[in-house]
Amino acid sequence: MLRSPITHDRCHVTLEAFAGQALAGISLGMVWFLIAAGLSIIFGTLKVLNLAHGSLYMLGSFCCYQVTVSLAGVPGNFWLAVLIAPLVVALVGGIIEVFLLRPIYKAEMIYQYILTFALVLIIAEVCKMIWGTGYHSVKVPWPFQGSVGIFGLSFPIYNLFLIAMGPLVFIGLRTLINKTDLGRNIRAVTENREMANALGTNVPRVYTGVFMLGAWLAGLAGSLWPPVSVVMLGSDMAVVIDCFIIVVIGGLGSLAGAFVGALILGLTTAFGLYLIPKLAVAFGFILMIIILIIRPYGLMGEPE
């Protein structure tokens, strides 16, 4: 759930208020992009619509909290958690792909939905068993504590860090896909799995690598968000719904579409909360419906 770092009197929409909500929306959108990028990459390559993607995000948040608590007193414990937690989630993603998804790739897609939905329930129960049903918090890490003045407003430095992370991850993923051997293999498998396999590409290994990359992105987002909000059960469902809206808006399987979609949804949510709080939840769905009517395959997707 969005918690805007800036509050204003809604009766007086000023330039400062507009700028503050814009920054809050962009920072939220950049975190959503990290999650949606993983969902989009997995779907674009494996054609798996992973309903448990939000659960991987939530698992990343709990792992981040656990590492920061376990290493309390160790300098930079939060940043160690940001390194460790996404790797744990990526490992879980690899196990899911190899042992659960791989055997049913050739089955009807409904089996993938049932399996990944079952994982939502299983991961939630595991998190509940380990961390309970209470709320957990993580302190804002050094050196991003405090606020800076922007357009006459006091804006959290950590949110600026989140804003910077989105473009950095986007550029990194584009470079990985377009400039590396792994990226060429991913593109080849995405275009034609059988042809890539005939030319010597290890398709199962690429599938596992892509799923682990998507899970790592979800775990990274889950690790970065706790200093802004709280770690709790149920965050998986809210996040995965927002991510599905983003990939539908941007276009299924489009990384650039996920970036644009996350930015649009973040801004829409921030201004919706500010202007009409009671309808804020509906803005994302309204936006999705409008875009589907105008462009059924998303802003940057391609018709199949």
Side-chain angles (χ1 to χ4, degrees):
M1 181 178 180
L2 173 67
R3 193 173 63 184
S4 174
I6 298 173
T7 57
H8 306 283
D9 180 357
R10 289 194 298 273
C11 296
H12 299 86
V13 181
T14 64
L15 178 61
E16 290 80 5
F18 182 88
Q21 291 307 122
L23 289 171
I26 294 171
S27 63
L28 177 64
M30 291 302 95
V31 174
W32 277 341
F33 164 68
L34 299 183
I35 316 170
L39 186 68
S40 187
I41 288 173
I42 290 173
F43 180 82
T45 305
L46 282 68
K47 304 303 179 189
V48 171
L49 202 55
N50 181 21
L51 299 179
H53 199 69
S55 301
L56 297 175
Y57 158 85
M58 184 175 71
L59 184 61
S61 292
F62 276 115
C63 288
C64 174
Y65 162 74
Q66 186 62 55
V67 174
T68 53
V69 170
S70 301
L71 300 179
V74 176
N77 60 342
F78 173 79
W79 300 113
L80 289 173
V82 171
L83 289 175
I84 295 171
L87 292 178
V88 172
V89 178
L91 181 61
V92 172
I95 293 172
I96 291 172
E97 197 280 333
V98 172
F99 294 103
L100 301 178
L101 285 172
R102 188 175 295 178
I104 62 170
Y105 279 139
K106 294 183 179 179
E108 296 286 338
M109 191 167 286
I110 186 67
Y111 290 100
Q112 294 180 7
Y113 296 153
I114 294 172
L115 172 64
T116 54
F117 183 71
L119 288 172
V120 172
L121 304 178
I122 292 170
I123 292 174
E125 286 301 311
V126 170
C127 291
K128 181 179 178 181
M129 182 177 65
I130 298 175
W131 292 288
T133 58
Y135 295 170
H136 307 285
S137 61
V138 175
K139 292 181 179 177
V140 177
W142 181 89
F144 299 117
Q145 297 162 330
S147 303
V148 293
I150 300 177
F151 300 112
L153 297 168
S154 180
F155 193 78
I157 298 174
Y158 188 77
N159 286 62
L160 294 178
F161 164 71
L162 295 178
I163 290 174
M165 281 298 295
L168 287 175
V169 171
F170 175 69
I171 293 171
L173 290 174
R174 289 294 296 262
T175 303
L176 173 70
I177 293 173
N178 295 325
K179 303 292 184 182
T180 67
D181 290 339
L182 175 61
R184 279 188 283 274
N185 287 333
I186 292 174
R187 296 203 309 274
V189 171
T190 303
E191 291 295 328
N192 192 318
R193 174 181 176 174
E194 287 73 21
M195 180 65 73
N197 189 49
L199 293 174
T201 300
N202 190 326
V203 175
R205 186 177 298 176
V206 172
Y207 272 30
T208 303
V210 168
F211 200 93
M212 290 182 71
L213 174 61
W216 181 84
L217 287 166
L220 178 64
S223 301
L224 293 174
W225 192 239
V228 181
S229 185
V230 293
V231 181
M232 63 179 185
L233 286 173
S235 58
D236 53 343
M237 296 307 295
V239 160
V240 80
I241 290 172
D242 292 328
C243 287
F244 278 124
I245 292 175
I246 288 168
V247 296
V248 169
I249 290 173
L252 287 171
S254 170
L255 184 62
F259 186 85
V260 173
L263 195 59
I264 293 173
L265 184 62
L267 290 170
T268 301
T269 303
F271 282 105
L273 276 171
Y274 178 62
L275 297 172
I276 315 176
K278 292 183 179 179
L279 289 178
V281 176
F283 277 114
F285 295 99
I286 295 171
L287 179 66
M288 181 178 67
I289 292 170
I290 293 172
I291 291 178
L292 282 177
I293 292 172
I294 299 173
R295 196 175 169 86
Y297 38 88
L299 292 175
M300 305 188 76
E302 297 179 359
E304 296 185 1

